[in-house]
Short mmCIF file of all heavy atoms in Angstrom, two decimals:
data_model
loop_
_atom_site.label_atom_id
_atom_site.label_comp_id
_atom_site.label_asym_id
_atom_site.label_seq_id
_atom_site.Cartn_x
_atom_site.Cartn_y
_atom_site.Cartn_z
N VAL A 1 0.84 -1.18 0.00
CA VAL A 1 0.00 0.00 0.00
C VAL A 1 0.88 1.24 0.00
O VAL A 1 1.87 1.32 0.73
CB VAL A 1 -0.92 0.04 1.23
CG1 VAL A 1 -1.79 1.28 1.22
CG2 VAL A 1 -1.79 -1.21 1.29
N VAL A 2 0.53 2.19 -0.85
CA VAL A 2 1.15 3.52 -0.84
C VAL A 2 0.00 4.52 -0.87
O VAL A 2 -1.15 4.17 -1.13
CB VAL A 2 2.09 3.73 -2.06
CG1 VAL A 2 3.27 2.79 -2.00
CG2 VAL A 2 1.35 3.60 -3.37
N ARG A 3 0.31 5.76 -0.59
CA ARG A 3 -0.69 6.82 -0.68
C ARG A 3 -0.28 7.77 -1.80
O ARG A 3 0.89 8.10 -1.93
CB ARG A 3 -0.79 7.58 0.63
CG ARG A 3 -1.41 6.75 1.74
CD ARG A 3 -1.59 7.60 2.99
NE ARG A 3 -2.01 6.80 4.10
CZ ARG A 3 -3.28 6.62 4.44
NH1 ARG A 3 -4.23 7.19 3.74
NH2 ARG A 3 -3.61 5.87 5.46
N ASP A 4 -1.30 8.20 -2.54
CA ASP A 4 -1.00 9.20 -3.55
C ASP A 4 -0.95 10.57 -2.87
O ASP A 4 -1.12 10.68 -1.66
CB ASP A 4 -1.99 9.16 -4.72
CG ASP A 4 -3.41 9.58 -4.37
OD1 ASP A 4 -3.63 10.13 -3.26
OD2 ASP A 4 -4.30 9.38 -5.21
N GLU A 5 -0.70 11.60 -3.63
CA GLU A 5 -0.51 12.93 -3.07
C GLU A 5 -1.75 13.45 -2.36
O GLU A 5 -1.67 14.24 -1.43
CB GLU A 5 -0.08 13.90 -4.17
CG GLU A 5 0.67 15.08 -3.62
CD GLU A 5 1.28 15.88 -4.75
OE1 GLU A 5 0.55 16.29 -5.65
OE2 GLU A 5 2.50 16.08 -4.70
N ALA A 6 -2.93 12.97 -2.76
CA ALA A 6 -4.18 13.39 -2.13
C ALA A 6 -4.48 12.55 -0.89
O ALA A 6 -5.47 12.80 -0.20
CB ALA A 6 -5.33 13.28 -3.12
N GLY A 7 -3.63 11.56 -0.60
CA GLY A 7 -3.82 10.72 0.58
C GLY A 7 -4.60 9.45 0.33
O GLY A 7 -4.82 8.67 1.25
N GLU A 8 -5.03 9.23 -0.91
CA GLU A 8 -5.78 8.02 -1.21
C GLU A 8 -4.85 6.81 -1.18
O GLU A 8 -3.74 6.85 -1.69
CB GLU A 8 -6.44 8.12 -2.59
CG GLU A 8 -7.27 6.91 -2.93
CD GLU A 8 -8.02 7.05 -4.24
OE1 GLU A 8 -7.71 7.96 -5.03
OE2 GLU A 8 -8.93 6.24 -4.47
N ARG A 9 -5.33 5.73 -0.60
CA ARG A 9 -4.56 4.50 -0.53
C ARG A 9 -4.62 3.79 -1.87
O ARG A 9 -5.69 3.60 -2.44
CB ARG A 9 -5.10 3.61 0.58
CG ARG A 9 -4.97 4.25 1.95
CD ARG A 9 -5.70 3.49 3.02
NE ARG A 9 -5.06 2.24 3.37
CZ ARG A 9 -4.02 2.12 4.19
NH1 ARG A 9 -3.51 3.19 4.74
NH2 ARG A 9 -3.50 0.95 4.45
N LEU A 10 -3.45 3.38 -2.35
CA LEU A 10 -3.33 2.62 -3.59
C LEU A 10 -2.75 1.26 -3.24
O LEU A 10 -1.83 1.16 -2.43
CB LEU A 10 -2.42 3.34 -4.57
CG LEU A 10 -2.79 4.79 -4.91
CD1 LEU A 10 -1.72 5.42 -5.79
CD2 LEU A 10 -4.16 4.85 -5.58
N TYR A 11 -3.27 0.21 -3.86
CA TYR A 11 -2.90 -1.15 -3.51
C TYR A 11 -2.27 -1.87 -4.71
O TYR A 11 -2.62 -1.62 -5.85
CB TYR A 11 -4.15 -1.95 -3.10
CG TYR A 11 -4.86 -1.37 -1.91
CD1 TYR A 11 -5.80 -0.35 -2.06
CD2 TYR A 11 -4.59 -1.83 -0.63
CE1 TYR A 11 -6.45 0.19 -0.95
CE2 TYR A 11 -5.24 -1.29 0.48
CZ TYR A 11 -6.16 -0.29 0.30
OH TYR A 11 -6.80 0.24 1.39
N ARG A 12 -1.35 -2.77 -4.40
CA ARG A 12 -0.75 -3.63 -5.41
C ARG A 12 -0.54 -4.99 -4.76
O ARG A 12 -0.08 -5.08 -3.62
CB ARG A 12 0.58 -3.08 -5.91
CG ARG A 12 1.15 -3.89 -7.09
CD ARG A 12 2.49 -3.33 -7.54
NE ARG A 12 3.49 -3.55 -6.55
CZ ARG A 12 4.27 -4.64 -6.49
NH1 ARG A 12 4.15 -5.59 -7.37
NH2 ARG A 12 5.16 -4.76 -5.55
N TYR A 13 -0.86 -6.03 -5.49
CA TYR A 13 -0.68 -7.38 -4.98
C TYR A 13 0.81 -7.62 -4.73
O TYR A 13 1.65 -7.30 -5.57
CB TYR A 13 -1.22 -8.40 -5.97
CG TYR A 13 -1.06 -9.82 -5.52
CD1 TYR A 13 -1.82 -10.32 -4.47
CD2 TYR A 13 -0.15 -10.66 -6.14
CE1 TYR A 13 -1.67 -11.62 -4.04
CE2 TYR A 13 0.00 -11.97 -5.73
CZ TYR A 13 -0.75 -12.45 -4.67
OH TYR A 13 -0.59 -13.74 -4.26
N ARG A 14 1.12 -8.14 -3.58
CA ARG A 14 2.52 -8.43 -3.24
C ARG A 14 2.83 -9.85 -3.66
O ARG A 14 2.26 -10.80 -3.15
CB ARG A 14 2.77 -8.28 -1.75
CG ARG A 14 4.23 -8.54 -1.39
CD ARG A 14 4.51 -8.45 0.07
NE ARG A 14 4.27 -7.10 0.55
CZ ARG A 14 4.11 -6.80 1.82
NH1 ARG A 14 4.16 -7.72 2.74
NH2 ARG A 14 3.88 -5.56 2.19
N ARG A 15 3.73 -9.98 -4.61
CA ARG A 15 4.17 -11.31 -5.03
C ARG A 15 4.87 -11.96 -3.85
O ARG A 15 5.65 -11.30 -3.14
CB ARG A 15 5.14 -11.23 -6.20
CG ARG A 15 4.62 -10.87 -7.60
CD ARG A 15 3.25 -10.40 -7.67
NE ARG A 15 2.76 -10.11 -9.00
CZ ARG A 15 1.87 -9.17 -9.21
NH1 ARG A 15 1.45 -8.41 -8.24
NH2 ARG A 15 1.37 -8.99 -10.39
N PRO A 16 4.63 -13.26 -3.60
CA PRO A 16 5.21 -13.92 -2.42
C PRO A 16 6.72 -13.77 -2.31
O PRO A 16 7.26 -13.63 -1.22
CB PRO A 16 4.82 -15.39 -2.62
CG PRO A 16 3.61 -15.34 -3.48
CD PRO A 16 3.77 -14.14 -4.36
N GLU A 17 7.41 -13.74 -3.44
CA GLU A 17 8.87 -13.62 -3.41
C GLU A 17 9.34 -12.21 -3.07
O GLU A 17 10.49 -11.99 -2.73
CB GLU A 17 9.48 -14.08 -4.74
CG GLU A 17 9.16 -13.19 -5.94
CD GLU A 17 7.79 -13.43 -6.58
OE1 GLU A 17 7.03 -14.30 -6.12
OE2 GLU A 17 7.50 -12.73 -7.56
N ALA A 18 8.45 -11.23 -3.15
CA ALA A 18 8.84 -9.83 -2.95
C ALA A 18 9.10 -9.50 -1.49
O ALA A 18 9.98 -8.71 -1.18
CB ALA A 18 7.77 -8.90 -3.51
N GLY A 19 8.32 -10.06 -0.58
CA GLY A 19 8.49 -9.72 0.83
C GLY A 19 8.15 -8.26 1.07
O GLY A 19 7.56 -7.58 0.24
N HIS A 20 8.52 -7.76 2.24
CA HIS A 20 8.25 -6.37 2.62
C HIS A 20 9.08 -5.44 1.74
O HIS A 20 10.27 -5.63 1.58
CB HIS A 20 8.60 -6.18 4.10
CG HIS A 20 8.37 -4.79 4.59
ND1 HIS A 20 7.10 -4.28 4.79
CD2 HIS A 20 9.23 -3.81 4.91
CE1 HIS A 20 7.21 -3.05 5.22
NE2 HIS A 20 8.48 -2.74 5.30
N CYS A 21 8.43 -4.43 1.18
CA CYS A 21 9.13 -3.55 0.25
C CYS A 21 8.59 -2.13 0.37
O CYS A 21 7.45 -1.92 0.74
CB CYS A 21 8.92 -4.07 -1.18
SG CYS A 21 10.03 -3.34 -2.38
N HIS A 22 9.44 -1.17 0.08
CA HIS A 22 9.04 0.23 -0.03
C HIS A 22 9.26 0.66 -1.48
O HIS A 22 10.10 0.11 -2.18
CB HIS A 22 9.88 1.10 0.90
CG HIS A 22 9.69 0.77 2.34
ND1 HIS A 22 8.56 1.12 3.04
CD2 HIS A 22 10.48 0.10 3.21
CE1 HIS A 22 8.67 0.70 4.28
NE2 HIS A 22 9.82 0.07 4.41
N TYR A 23 8.50 1.68 -1.89
CA TYR A 23 8.54 2.08 -3.30
C TYR A 23 8.72 3.57 -3.45
O TYR A 23 8.31 4.35 -2.61
CB TYR A 23 7.21 1.70 -3.98
CG TYR A 23 6.96 0.24 -3.99
CD1 TYR A 23 6.25 -0.36 -2.95
CD2 TYR A 23 7.43 -0.56 -5.01
CE1 TYR A 23 6.02 -1.71 -2.93
CE2 TYR A 23 7.21 -1.92 -5.01
CZ TYR A 23 6.51 -2.49 -3.96
OH TYR A 23 6.29 -3.83 -3.96
N LEU A 24 9.29 3.95 -4.59
CA LEU A 24 9.29 5.33 -5.07
C LEU A 24 8.19 5.35 -6.13
O LEU A 24 8.21 4.57 -7.07
CB LEU A 24 10.63 5.70 -5.67
CG LEU A 24 10.76 7.08 -6.28
CD1 LEU A 24 10.44 8.15 -5.25
CD2 LEU A 24 12.16 7.27 -6.82
N LEU A 25 7.20 6.24 -5.96
CA LEU A 25 6.01 6.25 -6.80
C LEU A 25 5.90 7.57 -7.55
O LEU A 25 6.01 8.64 -6.95
CB LEU A 25 4.77 6.06 -5.91
CG LEU A 25 3.40 6.10 -6.57
CD1 LEU A 25 3.17 4.83 -7.38
CD2 LEU A 25 2.32 6.25 -5.50
N CYS A 26 5.67 7.49 -8.87
CA CYS A 26 5.43 8.70 -9.65
C CYS A 26 4.02 9.19 -9.39
O CYS A 26 3.06 8.43 -9.51
CB CYS A 26 5.62 8.43 -11.15
SG CYS A 26 5.30 9.90 -12.16
N ARG A 27 3.91 10.45 -9.02
CA ARG A 27 2.60 11.04 -8.73
C ARG A 27 1.73 11.19 -9.96
O ARG A 27 0.52 11.33 -9.86
CB ARG A 27 2.77 12.39 -8.06
CG ARG A 27 3.32 12.31 -6.66
CD ARG A 27 3.31 13.66 -5.97
NE ARG A 27 4.13 14.65 -6.63
CZ ARG A 27 5.38 14.97 -6.25
NH1 ARG A 27 5.93 14.37 -5.22
NH2 ARG A 27 6.04 15.90 -6.89
N ARG A 28 2.32 11.17 -11.13
CA ARG A 28 1.53 11.36 -12.35
C ARG A 28 1.08 10.05 -12.98
O ARG A 28 -0.10 9.86 -13.23
CB ARG A 28 2.33 12.16 -13.38
CG ARG A 28 2.55 13.58 -12.95
CD ARG A 28 3.22 14.37 -14.05
NE ARG A 28 3.53 15.71 -13.57
CZ ARG A 28 4.32 16.53 -14.20
NH1 ARG A 28 4.88 16.18 -15.32
NH2 ARG A 28 4.55 17.73 -13.70
N CYS A 29 2.00 9.14 -13.23
CA CYS A 29 1.64 7.92 -13.97
C CYS A 29 1.61 6.67 -13.10
O CYS A 29 1.24 5.61 -13.57
CB CYS A 29 2.62 7.70 -15.12
SG CYS A 29 4.29 7.23 -14.59
N ARG A 30 2.02 6.80 -11.85
CA ARG A 30 2.06 5.70 -10.87
C ARG A 30 3.14 4.67 -11.17
O ARG A 30 3.11 3.58 -10.63
CB ARG A 30 0.71 5.02 -10.74
CG ARG A 30 -0.32 5.91 -10.13
CD ARG A 30 -1.51 5.12 -9.70
NE ARG A 30 -2.56 6.04 -9.29
CZ ARG A 30 -3.81 5.71 -9.19
NH1 ARG A 30 -4.18 4.49 -9.47
NH2 ARG A 30 -4.70 6.58 -8.81
N ARG A 31 4.07 5.01 -12.04
CA ARG A 31 5.22 4.13 -12.22
C ARG A 31 5.86 3.99 -10.84
O ARG A 31 5.94 4.95 -10.08
CB ARG A 31 6.20 4.75 -13.20
CG ARG A 31 7.44 3.93 -13.38
CD ARG A 31 8.35 4.55 -14.46
NE ARG A 31 9.58 3.84 -14.48
CZ ARG A 31 10.77 4.37 -14.20
NH1 ARG A 31 10.85 5.66 -13.93
NH2 ARG A 31 11.85 3.64 -14.22
N HIS A 32 6.30 2.78 -10.52
CA HIS A 32 6.87 2.58 -9.20
C HIS A 32 8.12 1.73 -9.30
O HIS A 32 8.25 0.89 -10.19
CB HIS A 32 5.86 1.95 -8.25
CG HIS A 32 5.31 0.64 -8.74
ND1 HIS A 32 4.30 0.57 -9.66
CD2 HIS A 32 5.65 -0.62 -8.44
CE1 HIS A 32 4.03 -0.70 -9.90
NE2 HIS A 32 4.83 -1.45 -9.18
N GLU A 33 9.03 2.01 -8.40
CA GLU A 33 10.27 1.26 -8.33
C GLU A 33 10.51 0.85 -6.89
O GLU A 33 10.42 1.68 -5.98
CB GLU A 33 11.44 2.12 -8.81
CG GLU A 33 11.35 2.49 -10.26
CD GLU A 33 12.60 3.19 -10.76
OE1 GLU A 33 13.67 3.04 -10.13
OE2 GLU A 33 12.50 3.87 -11.78
N PRO A 34 10.80 -0.43 -6.67
CA PRO A 34 11.14 -0.85 -5.31
C PRO A 34 12.46 -0.21 -4.90
O PRO A 34 13.34 0.03 -5.72
CB PRO A 34 11.25 -2.37 -5.40
CG PRO A 34 11.40 -2.67 -6.85
CD PRO A 34 10.85 -1.52 -7.63
N LEU A 35 12.58 0.09 -3.62
CA LEU A 35 13.77 0.74 -3.11
C LEU A 35 14.57 -0.19 -2.22
O LEU A 35 14.00 -1.02 -1.52
CB LEU A 35 13.38 1.98 -2.29
CG LEU A 35 12.62 3.05 -3.03
CD1 LEU A 35 12.12 4.10 -2.05
CD2 LEU A 35 13.49 3.68 -4.11
N ASP A 36 15.87 -0.02 -2.21
CA ASP A 36 16.73 -0.73 -1.27
C ASP A 36 16.67 0.07 0.03
O ASP A 36 17.22 1.16 0.12
CB ASP A 36 18.16 -0.80 -1.80
CG ASP A 36 19.11 -1.47 -0.82
OD1 ASP A 36 18.65 -2.01 0.21
OD2 ASP A 36 20.32 -1.45 -1.09
#
């Protein structure tokens, strides 16, 4: 789960192999990249 700039919760299915992850999310197109 991430929040967009308006505070709305956005969801993405977590693949079992992904584990706990944080993302950098584009506010315009929602492109996302997992972060180390």
Side-chain angles (χ1 to χ4, degrees):
V1 180
V2 295
R3 290 185 187 267
D4 68 11
E5 204 170 56
E8 182 175 14
R9 297 170 72 81
L10 305 174
Y11 300 85
R12 187 181 69 90
Y13 180 71
R14 182 182 296 163
R15 287 10 182 211
E17 67 279 0
H20 180 72
C21 194
H22 297 286
Y23 298 91
L24 177 58
L25 177 73
C26 178
R27 290 187 298 262
R28 292 186 185 167
C29 70
R30 293 194 188 162
R31 177 176 173 243
H32 57 279
E33 295 188 21
L35 299 172
D36 177 7

